[in-house]
Amino acid sequence: MTNYGLVIDQERCIGCQACAVSCKQENNVPMGQFWNRVLTEGGDKIDTPSGGYPEDGGSGSLDMQYQPTACQHCENAPCVKVCPVNATYTRDDGIVEIDYDKCIGCRYCMAACPYNARVFNWDEPDHMPEEGTGDVAARPQGVVEKCTFCSHRVDEGLDPACVVNCPADARIFGDLDDEGSTVSKYINEYETDQLLEDRGTNPKTHYISGEMSPGRPQTSDKMESELDDVSPWSDGSEDVPAEASESDSSGSGGSHHSIEGDAAPHVPAVGSGGDD
Amino acid sequence: MTDNDGLYRRDVLKAGGAAAALGLGGGEFLQGLAERGDETAASKRDPGIESYVGQNDVIQTVCSPNCRGKCPIDVHVRDGQVKKVEPHPPEDEQYKRACVLGLSHTQRVYDPTRLKYPMKRTDWSPDEPNPDGRGPDAEFERVSWDEALDLVADKMQSLKADFGPESVLFHVGFGNYGQSGQAFSRLASLFGSTQPASTIDTNVGRGFNRVTGTGFYLPSTNESEDWENANTIIVWGSDIFSSQFQMDASKVLDAVENGAKLVVVDPVYTTTASKADLWLPVKPGKDVHLALAMMHTVFEDGTYDEQFLRKRTTGPALVRKDTGTLLKSSTVFEDGSDDKVVAVEQGSNTPVELEPETDGPYALFGEYTVDGIECETALTRLRDHVADYAPSKVAEQTGVDAENIRTAVRWLATRGPGGIAPSYALGRYKHGHIFGQTYAMLMGLTGDYGQHGNIHAHHSGGATLSTGGWSTPEDADPGPSVRFSDYPDAMIDGDPHKIRAAYSIESNMMGNQFPDRQRFREAIKSLEMYVVADMHHTDTVQHADIILPVPHWFEQEDIVSSWGSHPHISYRHKVQEPMWEARDDYYAIRGLAERLGFGDYFPETKRELLRELASRDDAIDFETLSEQGTQKKQNIPIVKFTDAFPTDTGRIKMYDDDAPSEEGVTFDLPRPLEDRTADDYEKADEYPLMFMQKHSRFRIHSQYEMLNWVREVNPEPQLDIHPSDAKARGIEDGQYVRVYNDRGEMIVKAKYNEAFQPGLVNTDQGWWSRDYLKGHHNDLTHNEVSEIGQTMSFYDVRVAVEPAPDDLDTEKYETDNPRGTGAETSRAGGD
């Protein structure tokens, strides 16, 4: 079986928002809404750290990381369970999707989603440009919408737009059931987190945090399964993974950002509207 | 924002509302867009088609602002409309790239700020310029292209006859990396006009040049494909993951993943700092002190690269104690040269002439007497000079922990090839050239030149189309140059000569980007004619007498250089025909050339121009370039500084006996000199906060200001301020504040940000006037430049901050509205 999943290397992510905007472009996400938000894990506001500016000239306690967050495509998706009309469903390949013709706008799914991944069209959606790409189904006023892993692209053998457009090679898409896929390898080899693991949702989005991976350089928008060679200018599978080569680092300065594996994944407060 | 605020978007973004917002005379100005909107509405989706994936026409072209991307992109077009932008891998696929801005071009192509028709200021005429009519309230009327070009050419001719051709300035900025600027300069040369000399971002490069013989802007550095070989990367004063190397982020990340140590020296805890192994939170202006402390550590540890110093630097060269000059070969040897310098061999103390790129058993340290002349080695002088800068001694002054200073430079000196990647930010302090000198010498000590893994700047060299002097024909008599920073003096006071008219392309500098903006606006008011060509209705355009509308890049055919970016030349294929009456700059330049009597010098079409220019570059083939879309210039070296340095001695200067002086300080050796960051600066009490204008990921200078997708993430200008500085002034997080000094003011929203050092505040650059509730960040900056660095020092600025007045009208940004309902009623277009 095919079971699509996404790995996001937060050590590589530079918070550039290319994925957020690519998503908006590809999927005609209405103005005022984002399916994919690049959250700052740190201070209260975008691009601000937690901790305090060092007063002693040391590296201090400041910490900041980016967490791109969209629908996690949970194996055990709460949104699917609560939908009274079966508008939200899980495809055979694991992608969670919405049938907009069935959606009655009750928003139970939004309440059920612990990741605040869904947005609701309170008004007639407004797009720029007005017609959008035409690549995806139009969504009317009164329905809920969210990330589809770009299923319309996946069906054509193409990676999701956010993956293709990441300049940091930080997003890797592929088949979690294929042991040879990069997503499977990275989940095995690196410390990865799923958001809110204790909820039992078993998201198919996995976050690398701690040791940086080589990411997945892309020269094509084709999915990995459609390519002969994963990393066109590296050594393919040999490239995965490299042990940290040095341990002589720290001195008194050392690494100043927390790389403990038990750092709690950051999840935005539910109810902020899904577009902060 | 909330889910239910979709309404305002329509209000703001529909063409009708935006037309009112532009504050222009001539309601027809935006009519074209409205018409276009109607067409759009008419062509609904074919009900039989579920998805247009794979159905679009895809045209490969290239994004072309003054950034470090120069990203080859695919533009998807259907039904005559741009639908989508995606990156297109260039010939060398590892340089695939694109950023949040380039990916949002659909927002820019159809934005209401696009200029549509040639316009003339209503109350301007060649004989009665009515300068007071210029500015925010200026009104414009539509004219034909012929009328516009006739007016401009006639005025240029009459000024030339009365006052000489240098009374006209041809100003070109950096807003487009195509080739029209070549034609512009060619016409300027033929006409004999005054030409511009850049005083932006040349500071650090000039200092580096004093040591190595190269550098104007930042020095060239190994192409980014080599960066993964670095073992230590010291990013100095640059948020490269946001503003410079963003498109090549993967290259730095790969180095880190390979085990490189990433050090970030910055007063701000940036995105880049958040990825670093070690962050040094230096105080603004103390970078030279810090680098001297690093040299101190290298000497103390004995980790300098002896072989490199002997072979490629003047470290072993003897300095005469009597004169302070280097001992010349001609002084010692009968057949010696005035250009060559002398060392002694270790042990025998025999004097020898130093050849470039030649190793030998030269003494690096010590005092020697040659022919009765008492000398010491250059390296001895340097070592003794930096003895005063022990890390423990400068720790408090620089704000950086002494052991962390040592750790950073020990990584650079002992972990193998690596480098220092400084930014233009260091050059935005008045005497930033000294840092250029200092780090060039520091890397000379550690031997970090000419190897894989060496880095010398925060962006790589890239490729430029070599056009072999086409812009200066042999029979031309080019006029004088005037520096950017001297424009006001020339325009207002006639110093060095009076500039009476200006023709500007590819630049939003005069109205927005130059420091001390009000002074430049005064300068514009002193002109008899100000002609501005642009894609958008910028602040600068609002101050023009004649407006020439330039099409979006997708509507221009061009060849794009990738200076500072990647080693390809790219072909900018036209995605669509120019909308409305917008015309390529080349159309106007050639039209003026014909009217001014130089028509024969310019090929008839842009295509012919491009063919001519491409034919001058041996590494480029026009057909290949056009067909492939990109061509990698194979003659671009990946590793730089592999040959003799272009200095008198062919070596890096570790002591400069012909050094310039400034404010009583001589730079034979790197000596700190500060302006407004100095602890005893006279107005430090009055204006206690340093003010910088960081380059964010949301702007390329003032370009892309109008992207609505991006504005949802980054809605309005803010003042990053440390909570302690804010609280001391009674300022709450999110409150509007007045930022002011003795030049001007601006009103922006305060953003508590622990990433900013107390005493330092920031507003990201690139905002237009219409984005501020009042004033502008460049009303606060000043236009003083160092005579050595010759660079506008945007960050060497002090301000005071207080809560904004109570009666402030904040409607523009109320209810989390990214672009603001106020935009409809305010005169948002020009000011």
Side-chain angles (χ1 to χ4, degrees), chain B residues 509-526:
Chain B
M509 291 172 177
M510 292 290 283
N512 204 79
Q513 292 298 98
F514 277 154
D516 198 359
R517 193 177 66 144
Q518 296 305 334
R519 170 82 173 151
F520 279 91
R521 289 185 169 193
E522 279 175 42
I524 294 171
K525 286 205 169 178
S526 72

Side-chain angles (χ1 to χ4, degrees), chain A residues 80-183:
Chain A
V80 172
K81 288 184 195 162
V82 300
C83 180
V85 294
N86 294 329
T88 292
Y89 62 100
T90 306
R91 295 180 8 154
D92 290 344
D93 57 10
I95 296 177
V96 177
E97 260 191 6
I98 300 168
D99 183 334
Y100 305 113
D101 290 336
K102 287 186 180 170
C103 178
I104 56 171
C106 70
R107 308 191 302 285
Y108 288 3
C109 55
M110 292 180 73
C113 174
Y115 307 106
N116 196 21
R118 293 170 162 252
V119 298
F120 181 63
N121 292 334
W122 288 97
D123 295 289
E124 190 66 38
D126 185 25
H127 303 108
M128 284 201 70
E130 202 166 331
E131 279 202 12
T133 57
D135 290 356
V136 293
R139 286 89 56 185
Q141 182 178 4
V143 302
V144 169
E145 50 179 89
K146 66 160 193 74
C147 159
T148 64
F149 269 168
C150 281
S151 58
H152 62 287
R153 292 174 61 93
V154 172
D155 290 345
E156 303 287 332
L158 304 176
D159 263 329
C162 59
V163 172
V164 174
N165 292 334
C166 176
D169 301 338
R171 302 175 74 97
I172 308 107
F173 183 77
D175 183 1
L176 298 172
D177 283 356
D178 173 2
E179 286 183 10
S181 69
T182 303
V183 284

Side-chain angles (χ1 to χ4, degrees), chain B residues 2 5 208 246 336 384 552 562 578 610:
Chain B
T2 58
D5 58 4
F208 192 93
Q246 190 190 138
D384 293 349
H552 185 273
S562 310
L610 299 179

Side-chain angles (χ1 to χ4, degrees), chain B residues 106-314:
Chain B
T106 48
Q107 309 259 295
R108 189 167 171 179
V109 176
Y110 300 117
D111 191 81
T113 59
R114 283 274 314 262
L115 294 171
K116 298 171 183 62
Y117 308 106
M119 307 282 277
K120 180 184 88 68
R121 179 157 61 86
T122 311
D123 57 354
W124 177 87
S125 72
D127 299 327
E128 293 198 31
N130 286 312
D132 291 339
R134 292 195 180 103
D137 297 326
E139 299 202 339
F140 299 92
E141 62 193 29
R142 189 171 159 183
V143 292
S144 71
W145 268 102
D146 277 342
E147 281 176 82
L149 295 179
D150 285 346
L151 281 169
V152 175
D154 288 349
K155 183 69 181 174
M156 283 181 175
Q157 290 291 45
S158 78
L159 287 173
K160 184 177 186 175
D162 294 346
F163 304 104
E166 69 276 11
S167 62
V168 177
L169 167 69
F170 275 48
H171 167 75
V172 56
F174 312 104
N176 176 357
Y177 268 57
Q179 302 303 321
S180 290
Q182 297 273 347
F184 188 77
S185 299
R186 185 175 172 91
L187 180 57
S189 298
L190 290 162
F191 183 81
S193 81
T194 295
Q195 301 203 44
S198 174
T199 52
I200 291 182
D201 293 341
T202 67
N203 220 343
V204 173
R206 288 176 191 272
F208 192 93
N209 194 316
R210 291 209 300 274
V211 177
T212 65
T214 68
F216 177 69
Y217 298 109
L218 287 177
S220 64
T221 188
N222 292 9
E223 294 305 314
S224 60
E225 65 190 75
D226 185 62
W227 285 41
E228 65 176 1
N229 295 314
N231 297 288
T232 304
I233 302 174
I234 302 180
V235 174
W236 204 310
S238 173
D239 189 3
I240 52 173
F241 284 146
S242 292
S243 69
Q244 285 289 336
F245 226 61
Q246 190 190 138
M247 285 68 66
D248 279 323
S250 61
K251 304 288 190 285
V252 181
L253 295 167
D254 289 346
V256 172
E257 201 268 325
N258 285 343
K261 293 295 183 193
L262 179 62
V263 179
V264 171
V265 185
D266 206 306
V268 184
Y269 182 81
T270 58
T271 295
T272 311
S274 78
K275 301 287 184 195
D277 294 288
L278 182 63
W279 169 49
L280 308 184
V282 67
K283 289 181 183 171
K286 311 299 185 213
D287 303 279
V288 173
H289 304 77
L290 189 62
L292 292 173
M294 289 183 174
M295 285 193 196
H296 178 100
T297 297
V298 172
F299 280 116
E300 190 172 67
D301 291 353
T303 50
Y304 42 81
D305 185 334
E306 294 189 7
Q307 191 193 0
F308 184 88
L309 286 165
R310 290 192 173 105
K311 185 178 176 184
R312 304 198 67 191
T313 79
T314 61

Side-chain angles (χ1 to χ4, degrees), chain B residues 376-395:
Chain B
E376 60 188 335
T377 70
L379 212 55
T380 305
R381 286 225 160 179
L382 180 62
R383 184 190 61 191
D384 293 349
H385 172 61
V386 302
D388 291 338
Y389 295 90
S392 55
K393 196 171 169 189
V394 304

